[in-house]
């Protein structure tokens, strides 16, 4: 019986009739529903009659001027309401997908995040091939300047500026570790004190770098002064300088994963790593485009797992990430 009813409904009832029934149920009268749907009252009654014939059951009765639904009328109306709710959600999802077919995603990221951001972007671009990605890379100071102009969808920092009105979500750890060539005498030591670290020739990132900012905060906290031998503007150049024995450094562990550690090791220094986190940041005044919104969701749902599992796979650094 129930099966026949459903078959009759799906064969003969039109979505329009179900919509009319759901509207009458919601508004409580044929008059109100006809006004809402811009139909005449006889049309509404006629469509409900046809629906009732399709299912072979009466849907409502009039007691005086009051419309009362039968049990079957109520059941069908409630199901129709759910169906239209789902169709509405489907329409929104499709509109969302249409919005994701083409358009741009503009990212401005600090230099250190360039080690993992492209690896996060890979699967996203594969899923949405029509999206044009614009990736701008600079040090922290340069990315703050871009944030102040506000032309991009997201800014990636580990130390978002505090004096710009932004929204920020944390998505990944960013441990800063001390690095040295594998052949360095400290490389075999199980515990290196901060005082020992401070004696080594140190290669430091430039003014305006977020890495330097974090190191300086750390030094201040521990009242420490490093033996800075050279200031170098790029993580890669620092890695090469460390490899060639010019000194040691402190860099984000991310610089050692996707790019390869090339014979560098993490030194086991007390109080290290310096713990910071990556943030997706955007101006408070700006609402996210559907593309930006989807990307943010992707970063939190999938992107960060991808990077974390790369950390685990390389087994390189650092206890905090394993
Ligand atoms: P940087 O920034 O690439 O400017 O050093 C990294 C960070 O914000 O941690």
């Amino acid at each position: 019986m129930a099966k026949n009813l459903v078959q009759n409904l799906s064969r003969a009832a039109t979505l329009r009739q179900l919509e009319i029934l759901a509207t009458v149920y919601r508004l409580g009268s044929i008059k109100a529903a006809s006004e809402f749907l811009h139909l005449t009252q006889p049309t509404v009654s006629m469509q409900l009659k046809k629906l009732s014939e399709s299912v072979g059951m009466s849907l409502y009765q009039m007691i005086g001027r009051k419309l009362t639904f039968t049990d079957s009328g109520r059941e069908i109306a409630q199901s129709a309401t759910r169906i239209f709710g789902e169709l509405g959600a489907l329409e929104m999802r499709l509109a969302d997908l249409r919005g994701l077919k083409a358009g741009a995603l503009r990212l401005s990221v600090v230099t250190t995040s360039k080690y993992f951001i492209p690896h996060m972007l890979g699967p996203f671009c594969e899923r949405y091939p029509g999206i044009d990605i614009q990736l701008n890379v600079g040090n922290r100071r340069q990315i703050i300047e871009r944030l102040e102009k506000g032309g991009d969808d997201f800014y990636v920092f580990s130390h978002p500026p505090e004096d710009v009105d932004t929204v920020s979500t944390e998505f990944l750890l960013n441990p800063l570790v001390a690095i040295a060539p594998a052949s360095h005498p400290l490389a075999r030591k199980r515990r290196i004190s901060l005082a020992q670290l401070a004696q080594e020739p140190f290669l430091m990132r430039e003014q305006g770098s977020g890495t330097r900012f974090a190191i300086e905060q750390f030094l201040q906290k521990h009242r420490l002064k490093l033996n800075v031998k050279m200031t170098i503007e790029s993580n890669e150049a620092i890695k090469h300088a460390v490899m060639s024995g010019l000194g040691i450094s402190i860099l984000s562990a991310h610089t050692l994963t996707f790019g390869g550690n090339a014979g560098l090791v993490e030194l086991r220094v007390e109080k290290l790593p310096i713990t910071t986190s990556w943030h997706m940041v955007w101006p408070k005044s700006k609402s996210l485009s559907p593309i930006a919104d989807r990307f943010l969701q992707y970063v939190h749902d999938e992107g960060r797992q991808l990077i974390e599992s790369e950390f685990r796979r390389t087994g390189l650094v650092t206890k905090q990430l394993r």
Side-chain angles (χ1 to χ4, degrees), residues 110-112 139-140 157-159 174 205 208-211 235 278:
V110 290
T111 44
T112 303
N139 72 16
R140 179 173 182 267
F157 294 100
S158 65
H159 302 278
N174 180 32
R205 281 283 306 272
S209 142
T211 306
N235 293 322
W278 293 110

Side-chain angles (χ1 to χ4, degrees), residues 49-63:
K49 187 159 176 279
K50 284 190 181 160
L51 180 60
S52 161
E53 285 165 6
S54 306
V55 295
M57 291 170 143
S58 65
L59 303 174
Y60 64 92
Q61 56 211 16
M62 299 300 296
I63 301 171

Side-chain angles (χ1 to χ4, degrees), residues 69-89:
F69 275 85
T70 62
D71 287 346
S72 37
R74 189 175 311 110
E75 283 298 329
I76 298 172
Q78 287 171 351
S79 287
T81 305
R82 286 195 291 275
I83 290 168
F84 283 100
E86 182 53 35
L87 285 176

